[in-house]
Amino acid sequence: MFDVKETPACLHDLVRAQARRTPGAAAVVYEGEKVSYAELDERAEALAATLRQAGAGPDVRIGIVTERSLQLVVDILAVLKAGAAYVPIDPAFPAARIAMILQDAGARILLAAGAVTGRHSPPAASAAGPEALAYVIYTSGSTGRPKGVCVEHRNIVNYVKGVSRELRLRAGMRHALVSTVAADLGNTVLFPALATGGCLHVMARNRTEDPELFADYVSRQGIDVLKITPSHLHAVQSAPRPARALPRERLVLGGEPLPLARAAELRALAPHCEIYNHYGPTETTVGALMYRVPETLPQTRSGTVPIGAPLPGARVHVIDANGMPCARGAQGELLIGGAGVARGYLGRDDLTREKFVADPVGGPGRVYRTGDLVRLLPDGNIEFCGRSDDQIKLGGHRVEPAEVEHVLREHGGVRQALVRARNEGDNAQLVAYVVPRRLEQPLWNHPSVHVLPDGTPVAHLNRNETEYIFEEIFVRRAYCRHGISIADGDCILDAGANVGLFTVFASRMAKDLTILAFEPNPPAFERLQANAKAWGGRVLCLPYGLSSDEKWADFTFFEGMSLLSGVYADPAKESRVVETYVLNGNGAHRMDAGWNAEVAQIVEERMRASTARVKLRTLSQVIAEHRLERIDLLKINVEKSELDVLRGVCAADWPKVRQLVIEVDRRSDVEPITLLLRAQGFEVCIEQDPLLQKTDLCYVYALRPGPRLRGTPAATDLVLSPGSLRKHVAEHLPRHMVPSAFVLMDKLPLTANGKVDRDALPAPELPAQRSDPLPPRTATETALAAIWSELLQVEHIGMQDDFFDLGGQSLLAIRMVARIREAFGVEVKVRNLFERPTLHGLCEVIDGMVWAQNNSRGASGGANDREQLAL
């Protein structure tokens, strides 16, 4: 071990000193790749020289987005040697998260697998000292965005000295790095290993997510020191012989409470391994307290192992609500002072002043207010009792519900969101309670109201038609594809508005819209007005249609299928369209003659027609009357009158139109429409929905050429369902911050004083569509459904059920990987589940792997047979 009496000033100096002591010893190992201390120091110094030329120096932040590898360690050391501070970012983070961290950190240089990019500056003149930044680690933020914790060299050097002494680390020990460096959990092994002559084994991501691969590596490589969270360890111990996943000498657990029962299990599995419970927020540099678990476990009120006593260089206070020290046994907030207290939050002076305060007991320097509730035990150790705020720990990660809630509220269809944790330990579940963005004027008293799948009431004509329109507009996004966009302040003309669901959709997509909605059908127009009024904004409902010239015309109205009503409507032809749509939607299910006859009868009833006289005007007349300077989107769905509408635009008005989406109902009209649009300078795309196959119906999309600078990001999904909300959150937050369950509510429950009553929040239920799940059909689906049912504690798993909609999360996914190997003998990865989360989808992955494996064995066997024949 290094001489603690003569510790170098900076973190990288510790490693360089060790390289001088043991230059030929193995320093880092990754998947068969190995470097000595001398090689590691040389590679890091070479990269550091490049970074210095790029402008690296004291307090310059350099982003590192490198996959877990040997190069990752080189990159970190190179940044430190260059005198700069590294900002570690997990490559698995969503692109939006990575961009946000780099921007917030002001990272002028970016390292990705040793490659240097970014805005270069003149070389720095001075080297880093003890008070210079070593790294900035981003943690979840209670204000709705993550915050960067600034750790100085003196902070981390103090920690490395203290933890190395307490763990009695020695040269030659093998340390396993299993966690992401984007959090500081792994710094318990990363820097102490390299400062004491140990060999750092960087475990590949797929090994850390696979119980068998994890246990095999730890046992085969003879890992001596392992730092891991209790829940992650429990997940990777789900393979046979769980003791194989444990190190030989030191097991350090941290990041979340350690139940006494779990500690007893580990003690029994590895009686000769020392077990430590490690505690400390990032703001006090990795860890501040540690407790060596004795052979005879203590009894605590919380049922968890104590978090211990301060590490060297740290001091702690337990204070009451008045800032006074608590008596032994009394519960209070934990304050941490000493050499490990970080500089503060990057660019967040207000938050730094709030959390890093003067020592209320009169000690030197500042202390960090942890927000953790603890009690001082008679033996001087400290017991963790919970939180004084809403902060959550899941899988060792800090999760501020406010940050998740902030992302949820950015969804166009969400008005309120509240996030909390349910259950504890390995079954901890992050649950989001969501109140949809409601109408400004409620429609519950309207005589014809229908509730959309997200709970929004709309005035409508009939249920089946409304559900079709909802599917077309909200789910399939038929009018926002192929580059079509809707942005704040747009002017939209909706020809053939029907009851106005496109108005509802557009109003969720953007703000401050001007919408002119045309509908000549009186019953539909009345519903259109009601929905437009409810949604507010500048929506003008006009009770006439559009055509090539101003006139009156006979309008055929179908009572049960208003979408097909129009000037050119033909009851016989429209009936065939509806029948074809129904058959396309049902595929091969119930395709017998009796059922076809039943469909025909239903269609006949819904296609009863009546005729009314309606007014038609030209689009250019409307443009002139309302003085429209631009039309950002012209949406046309007018049942065979599309070409008439377009012919009602004079040459002078065409330049005002930026985008069009047209549902074309006659095949013969497609060519003249596309020719007209191209003649006006539009780029045109034609698409037919799968449900409209074997009909003439298709969509025509037209845009002006050039950069698409306007519009809502394509990631926005306005259908409030667990799947769409999960997708939205996953596009902005790391995997551990994505809720396992989403509960849609009319309103959040309140206490008598108007605050949210968290105790009244309901437990998440299974998705409503599971009332009649399609049962498994194959042997693979049946076997996997049984595994899901056991792990998720859910009965009757259906083919289209989503693992995460049923309450699954990352740690359960790791356990499932082990069960799949036992049942099917194939190596499914956790990422396979995230890519194919339904039972049917994952079964296709498994079947493909089984087929490939059997085919490979067959080919190998055939080759052996041929060799034997040749002999």
Side-chain angles (χ1 to χ4, degrees):
M1 187 187 295
F2 54 86
D3 185 352
V4 296
K5 296 180 181 179
E6 298 179 1
T7 302
C10 292
L11 181 58
H12 53 282
D13 293 333
L14 296 179
V15 183
R16 181 172 56 189
Q18 184 60 46
R20 291 171 178 169
R21 289 192 293 268
T22 57
V28 185
V29 173
Y30 175 78
E31 295 297 303
E33 193 180 2
K34 180 188 297 185
V35 294
S36 67
Y37 272 89
E39 292 168 330
L40 175 65
D41 190 63
E42 181 180 350
R43 288 177 57 173
E45 188 58 54
L47 181 55
T50 302
L51 292 173
R52 292 189 197 101
Q53 290 300 315
D59 278 26
V60 172
R61 277 86 65 189
I62 297 179
I64 295 181
V65 190
T66 301
E67 284 286 357
R68 202 171 303 175
S69 61
L70 191 151
Q71 184 62 47
L72 173 61
V73 181
V74 174
D75 287 354
I76 291 173
L77 285 178
V79 172
L80 297 173
K81 281 176 171 287
Y86 71 92
V87 182
I89 304 174
D90 195 323
F93 283 177
R97 180 77 165 192
I98 294 175
M100 184 280 304
I101 291 176
L102 291 173
Q103 180 179 12
D104 189 81
R108 296 188 305 211
I109 304 171
L110 178 65
L111 266 176
V116 182
T117 59
R119 305 189 303 275
H120 294 192
S121 304
S126 59
E131 297 183 356
L133 278 184
Y135 58 77
V136 179
I137 283 186
Y138 276 79
T139 67
S140 184
S142 58
T143 60
R145 64 186 178 97
K147 53 188 182 291
V149 180
C150 299
V151 175
E152 299 174 346
H153 279 273
R154 58 179 178 172
N155 303 140
I156 184 64
V157 167
N158 172 77
Y159 173 75
V160 171
K161 287 171 51 180
V163 79
S164 299
R165 182 192 305 174
E166 293 300 304
L167 293 176
R168 307 186 320 283
L169 301 181
R170 63 181 186 277
M173 296 182 87
R174 299 177 180 182
H175 305 244
L177 177 64
V178 303
S179 61
T180 174
V181 298
D184 63 356
L185 186 79
N187 287 357
T188 302
V189 293
L190 173 57
F191 298 117
L194 298 177
T196 59
C199 180
L200 180 67
H201 286 250
V202 181
M203 289 186 66
R205 185 185 298 273
N206 67 308
R207 293 190 186 278
T208 67
E209 296 178 343
D210 186 304
E212 182 61 34
L213 295 180
F214 184 94
D216 176 70
Y217 191 92
V218 169
S219 59
R220 179 166 46 83
Q221 295 293 336
I223 297 299
D224 297 302
V225 183
L226 172 65
K227 168 71 176 295
I228 195 169
T229 66
S231 54
H232 188 183
L233 179 61
H234 183 62
V236 295
Q237 283 189 302
S238 56
R241 295 181 291 158
R244 292 186 305 142
L246 297 176
R248 298 188 298 186
E249 297 192 42
R250 311 282 193 274
L251 172 62
V252 184
L253 298 166
E256 61 193 15
L258 173 62
L260 288 168
R262 180 69 178 133
E265 292 175 5
L266 295 171
R267 171 66 65 211
L269 284 172
H272 302 296
C273 178
E274 296 178 8
I275 302 175
Y276 293 85
N277 195 25
H278 194 26
Y279 164 89
T282 301
E283 288 85 347
T284 59
T285 312
V286 189
L289 296 94
M290 194 154 67
Y291 179 80
R292 182 173 175 178
V293 180
E295 292 185 9
T296 301
L297 294 173
Q299 297 298 313
T300 61
R301 296 185 213 174
S302 64
T304 62
V305 173
I307 55 178
L311 286 168
R315 69 178 190 278
V316 300
H317 305 303
V318 182
I319 63 169
D320 60 21
N322 297 317
M324 301 299 293
C326 291
R328 287 182 183 268
Q331 183 172 290
E333 182 184 4
L334 178 64
L335 274 57
I336 300 176
V341 176
R343 179 186 296 182
Y345 300 114
L346 183 64
R348 308 285 290 278
D349 292 343
D350 54 340
L351 193 56
T352 298
R353 288 191 296 270
E354 176 187 339
K355 300 295 288 185
F356 295 83
V357 299
D359 191 330
V361 183
R366 303 171 305 155
V367 295
Y368 172 69
R369 300 192 59 175
T370 67
D372 287 333
L373 300 176
V374 301
R375 65 169 56 92
L376 187 62
L377 301 175
D379 63 0
N381 285 298
I382 289 176
E383 175 188 2
F384 178 79
C385 304
R387 289 287 302 175
S388 62
D389 57 18
D390 298 330
Q391 187 188 108
I392 300 165
K393 277 293 189 78
L394 288 176
H397 296 280
R398 182 192 302 185
V399 177
E400 294 283 1
E403 186 174 0
V404 186
E405 292 164 1
H406 174 77
V407 170
L408 281 168
R409 285 193 293 269
E410 289 182 331
H411 186 289
V414 172
R415 182 168 65 88
Q416 287 180 286
L418 186 144
V419 174
R420 62 170 300 187
R422 300 189 72 93
N423 304 326
E424 304 207 351
D426 301 327
N427 294 320
Q429 185 182 32
L430 199 63
V431 180
Y433 295 88
V434 174
V435 177
R437 181 181 167 196
R438 296 299 190 192
L439 307 176
E440 295 180 9
Q441 299 290 330
L443 284 165
W444 296 114
N445 295 326
H446 192 278
S448 301
V449 66
H450 178 74
V451 180
L452 298 179
D454 61 10
T456 300
V458 294
H460 77 136
L461 290 169
N462 67 75
R463 179 174 177 269
N464 291 324
E465 187 175 52
T466 301
E467 290 179 354
Y468 167 78
I469 302 174
F470 178 83
E471 176 78 15
E472 176 193 34
I473 294 176
F474 285 81
V475 179
R476 301 201 311 274
R477 306 290 289 275
Y479 297 99
C480 267
R481 293 160 70 148
H482 301 290
I484 299 296
S485 62
I486 298 175
D488 292 350
D490 274 356
C491 176
I492 299 173
L493 270 60
D494 184 359
N498 199 264
V499 299
L501 286 197
F502 186 75
T503 293
V504 177
F505 172 82
S507 298
R508 287 186 181 178
M509 288 281 281
K511 297 176 292 186
D512 302 322
L513 299 175
T514 297
I515 301 177
L516 276 66
F518 305 86
E519 180 52 57
N521 179 354
F525 182 79
E526 187 274 328
R527 273 77 169 177
L528 168 65
Q529 282 186 307
N531 289 326
K533 180 180 180 181
W535 274 90
R538 296 188 295 273
V539 181
L540 179 61
C541 301
L542 300 170
Y544 50 81
L546 296 174
S547 188
S548 56
D549 50 24
E550 186 173 16
K551 60 186 177 182
W552 287 82
D554 290 332
F555 188 96
T556 301
F557 168 55
F558 299 106
E559 297 178 8
M561 196 62 67
S562 67
L563 281 174
L564 299 179
S565 305
V567 174
Y568 299 110
D570 182 324
K573 290 183 179 179
E574 314 309 341
S575 296
R576 287 196 293 273
V577 169
V578 175
E579 286 186 27
T580 302
Y581 171 81
V582 174
L583 295 176
N584 286 342
N586 284 271
H589 299 294
R590 299 185 64 185
M591 292 290 287
D592 53 83
W595 187 68
N596 288 345
E598 182 181 340
V599 170
Q601 182 179 354
I602 294 174
V603 170
E604 182 181 355
E605 292 175 357
R606 292 185 180 166
M607 298 301 290
R608 294 190 182 120
S610 60
T611 303
R613 196 78 172 161
V614 299
K615 183 180 180 180
L616 302 177
R617 301 186 68 195
T618 70
L619 193 53
S620 281
Q621 285 178 322
V622 174
I623 292 172
E625 180 179 336
H626 295 279
R627 300 180 180 179
L628 300 180
E629 296 298 325
R630 72 178 199 279
I631 300 172
D632 295 293
L633 175 60
L634 173 56
K635 174 238 175 193
I636 303 175
N637 186 349
V638 290
E639 299 309 311
K640 304 182 183 66
S641 297
E642 302 86 14
L643 199 52
D644 287 351
V645 173
L646 297 176
R647 286 171 174 163
V649 183
C650 68
D653 288 329
W654 270 113
K656 299 178 181 178
V657 183
R658 185 169 64 88
Q659 304 175 113
L660 299 95
V661 182
I662 308 166
E663 184 179 302
V664 182
D665 303 293
R666 290 190 293 207
R667 190 184 307 272
S668 59
D669 286 344
V670 173
E671 184 175 1
I673 286 175
T674 55
L675 288 174
L676 188 156
L677 293 173
R678 288 189 174 112
Q680 296 298 332
F682 290 93
E683 294 177 349
V684 178
C685 173
I686 304 171
E687 181 182 61
Q688 185 176 55
D689 191 284
L691 292 177
L692 300 178
Q693 291 177 3
K694 300 180 182 179
T695 74
D696 284 357
L697 277 68
C698 66
Y699 296 98
V700 172
Y701 302 87
L703 301 92
R704 295 290 181 189
R708 317 284 190 233
L709 299 178
R710 301 170 62 86
T712 301
T716 302
D717 192 333
L718 302 180
V719 181
L720 288 191
S721 67
S724 68
L725 288 170
R726 181 177 296 107
K727 176 184 176 184
H728 172 74
V729 175
E731 287 169 344
H732 295 83
L733 297 177
R735 186 186 297 177
H736 64 268
M737 296 180 71
V738 179
S740 300
F742 295 83
V743 180
L744 296 177
M745 306 183 69
D746 290 331
K747 60 182 179 180
L748 297 177
L750 302 178
T751 61
N753 59 6
K755 294 184 178 181
V756 175
D757 187 353
R758 294 175 177 270
D759 293 335
L761 291 168
E765 298 179 355
L766 296 180
Q769 60 265 32
R770 297 195 73 259
S771 57
D772 186 23
L774 194 62
R777 302 167 302 176
T778 67
T780 303
E781 290 170 353
T782 301
L784 184 60
I787 294 173
W788 282 23
S789 182
E790 179 183 342
L791 289 177
L792 299 169
Q793 299 182 1
V794 173
E795 295 183 0
H796 309 303
I797 304 291
M799 285 174 51
Q800 297 304 322
D801 279 335
D802 186 298
F803 180 81
F804 301 102
D805 283 348
L806 299 180
Q809 32 90 346
S810 297
L811 295 178
L812 279 178
I814 291 175
R815 293 170 60 186
M816 186 183 65
V817 164
R819 297 294 304 278
I820 289 175
R821 179 186 288 104
E822 294 175 18
F824 304 102
V826 294
E827 306 287 341
V828 169
K829 304 293 187 287
V830 169
R831 63 176 173 79
N832 294 134
L833 177 63
F834 280 90
E835 293 166 355
R836 304 292 298 276
T838 65
L839 181 78
H840 177 68
L842 191 59
C843 283
E844 287 186 334
V845 174
I846 294 171
D847 286 338
M849 289 182 171
V850 171
W851 180 88
Q853 188 168 281
N854 292 340
N855 191 53
S856 175
R857 288 172 180 170
S860 175
N864 292 336
D865 292 342
R866 288 190 294 273
E867 290 176 4
Q868 291 175 2
L869 287 172
L871 292 173

